[in-house]
Amino acid sequence: MGLALGCLQVDQSTVAIKEVFGKFDDVLEPGCHFVPWCLGSQVAGYLSLRVQQLDVRCETKTKDNVFVTVVASIQYRALAEGAVDAFYKLSNTREQIQAYVFDVIRASVPKMELDASFEQKNEIAKAVEEELEKAMCAYGYEMVQTLIVDIEPDEHVKRAMNDINAAARLRMAANEKAEAEKILQIKRAEGESESKYLAGLGIARQRQAIVDGLRDSVLAFSENVPGTTSKDVMDMVLVTQYFDTLKEIGASSKSTSVFVPHGPGAVKDISSQIREGLLKGNVA
């Protein structure tokens, strides 16, 4: 009904391009407008002033001959004061922007190695934004933001990079583990050395105490029993210790040790004792 009466509503963040008999006449701002179609006035189209986004995927090659796919996100909008140029000068705005993005990326990335391209994403985005700003300003468009959101190398290259990183980390882990084992072995050796040193001191003190005790025993026994020699006293002490040892072995229920004389003379003595025992047994 409004169009029939020549009334037109333009929504917010939108402008309408008015023509009279096919010639540009005016840019209609948001609101209600009178467009007398009977006098040749008409709306040629609408132009959105909202921010729009275009995602561009560009395949290119780095300096070290690795093919990557660069994903750029372009945010742009048409300017109200440049609405006429934005509406009439470009037939396909998105393809125009995409062409400039391809040109800048394929001129910038081949100068960088793969690792550098990841580190210099902001520089690539800045170069793309500057080129688009310079080119699209003449067509009534403003570049709001340009982002390099992703750099995707070939799957085989990505796997190889992960393997290199994993190998480096494994090598570091092996070095750290070897260093830790080295420290443990050094500390263990130091502990064993200290333990043996202290054990040696203990044995030396034990033997010294035994020697001192035997000496005191011999001197005391010689003084109290006249006519005894040091050899007699030592023989008696050894016999006493021998029987004490046998007593301890017999008193232990878990003892598995048996003292048997060895050597040629001891074997002869054992055989004579066995033979004597057998003869006495037969006589009995």
Side-chain angles (χ1 to χ4, degrees), residues 17-28 41-42 88:
I17 306 300
K18 178 184 176 184
E19 294 180 347
V20 177
F21 295 111
K23 182 180 179 181
F24 169 73
D25 180 63
D26 193 11
V27 176
L28 304 181
S41 296
Q42 64 176 353
Y88 285 104

Side-chain angles (χ1 to χ4, degrees), residues 57-61 101-110:
R57 297 178 64 88
C58 176
E59 185 178 10
T60 184
K61 185 181 73 169
V101 173
F102 280 2
D103 181 66
V104 176
I105 290 179
R106 288 175 176 169
S108 302
V109 176

Side-chain angles (χ1 to χ4, degrees), residues 100-120:
Y100 281 111
V101 173
F102 280 2
D103 181 66
V104 176
I105 290 179
R106 288 175 176 169
S108 302
V109 176
K111 298 178 182 178
M112 308 175 184
E113 294 185 352
L114 180 60
D115 293 339
S117 64
F118 284 96
E119 298 172 359
Q120 300 179 17

Side-chain angles (χ1 to χ4, degrees), residues 30-99:
C32 185
H33 300 273
F34 179 66
V35 182
W37 58 270
C38 57
L39 299 178
S41 296
Q42 64 176 353
V43 174
Y46 298 89
L47 182 66
S48 176
L49 302 182
R50 296 178 180 178
V51 175
Q52 303 181 59
Q53 179 167 310
L54 173 63
D55 293 329
V56 181
R57 297 178 64 88
C58 176
E59 185 178 10
T60 184
K61 185 181 73 169
T62 61
K63 188 176 180 180
D64 47 353
N65 297 322
V66 178
F67 282 90
V68 295
T69 299
V70 181
V71 182
S73 181
I74 312 300
Q75 299 173 359
Y76 65 98
R77 67 179 177 183
L79 299 173
E81 57 272 18
V84 177
D85 293 332
F87 187 82
Y88 285 104
K89 287 187 176 181
L90 288 180
S91 60
N92 194 322
T93 306
R94 299 175 73 87
E95 288 188 2
Q96 183 82 1
I97 293 175
Q98 182 174 312

Side-chain angles (χ1 to χ4, degrees), residues 21-268:
F21 295 111
K23 182 180 179 181
F24 169 73
D25 180 63
D26 193 11
V27 176
L28 304 181
E29 300 288 340
C32 185
H33 300 273
F34 179 66
V35 182
W37 58 270
C38 57
L39 299 178
S41 296
Q42 64 176 353
V43 174
Y46 298 89
L47 182 66
S48 176
L49 302 182
R50 296 178 180 178
V51 175
Q52 303 181 59
Q53 179 167 310
L54 173 63
D55 293 329
V56 181
R57 297 178 64 88
C58 176
E59 185 178 10
T60 184
K61 185 181 73 169
T62 61
K63 188 176 180 180
D64 47 353
N65 297 322
V66 178
F67 282 90
V68 295
T69 299
V70 181
V71 182
S73 181
I74 312 300
Q75 299 173 359
Y76 65 98
R77 67 179 177 183
L79 299 173
E81 57 272 18
V84 177
D85 293 332
F87 187 82
Y88 285 104
K89 287 187 176 181
L90 288 180
S91 60
N92 194 322
T93 306
R94 299 175 73 87
E95 288 188 2
Q96 183 82 1
I97 293 175
Q98 182 174 312
Y100 281 111
V101 173
F102 280 2
D103 181 66
V104 176
I105 290 179
R106 288 175 176 169
S108 302
V109 176
K111 298 178 182 178
M112 308 175 184
E113 294 185 352
L114 180 60
D115 293 339
S117 64
F118 284 96
E119 298 172 359
Q120 300 179 17
K121 289 171 56 177
N122 292 336
E123 284 74 6
I124 299 174
K126 184 177 180 181
V128 173
E129 184 174 355
E130 289 177 354
E131 185 65 23
L132 287 175
E133 189 73 33
K134 182 172 58 176
M136 299 304 294
C137 181
Y139 299 108
Y141 283 92
E142 176 190 18
M143 296 298 110
V144 178
Q145 185 71 274
T146 301
L147 303 172
I148 302 298
V149 295
D150 197 9
I151 298 178
E152 302 174 355
D154 183 79
E155 187 63 30
H156 297 290
V157 176
K158 191 184 299 184
R159 190 180 299 113
M161 293 174 66
N162 290 334
D163 291 342
I164 292 172
N165 192 9
R169 293 184 181 277
L170 288 174
R171 184 170 61 252
M172 292 175 60
N175 290 336
E176 293 296 332
K177 183 178 180 181
E179 190 67 24
E181 291 179 353
K182 176 183 175 182
I183 294 174
L184 288 176
Q185 291 180 359
I186 292 175
K187 293 299 182 182
R188 190 180 297 113
E190 291 178 352
E192 291 179 356
S193 175
E194 186 68 19
S195 175
K196 290 179 179 179
Y197 173 74
L198 295 176
L201 289 179
I203 292 173
R205 291 175 180 176
Q206 180 187 17
R207 291 177 178 175
Q208 183 64 40
I210 292 172
V211 171
D212 293 341
L214 291 175
R215 184 183 64 248
D216 295 340
S217 298
V218 170
L219 292 177
F221 196 88
S222 300
E223 292 176 356
N224 295 328
V225 181
T228 59
T229 63
S230 298
K231 183 177 183 303
D232 297 333
V233 177
M234 287 300 300
D235 290 340
M236 186 184 67
V237 171
L238 290 176
V239 170
T240 303
Q241 290 182 348
Y242 174 73
F243 284 112
D244 289 340
T245 303
L246 292 179
K247 181 180 178 181
E248 291 180 2
I249 293 174
S252 178
S253 61
K254 298 181 180 180
S255 177
T256 58
S257 300
V258 177
F259 290 91
V260 178
H262 61 281
V267 172
K268 181 180 178 181

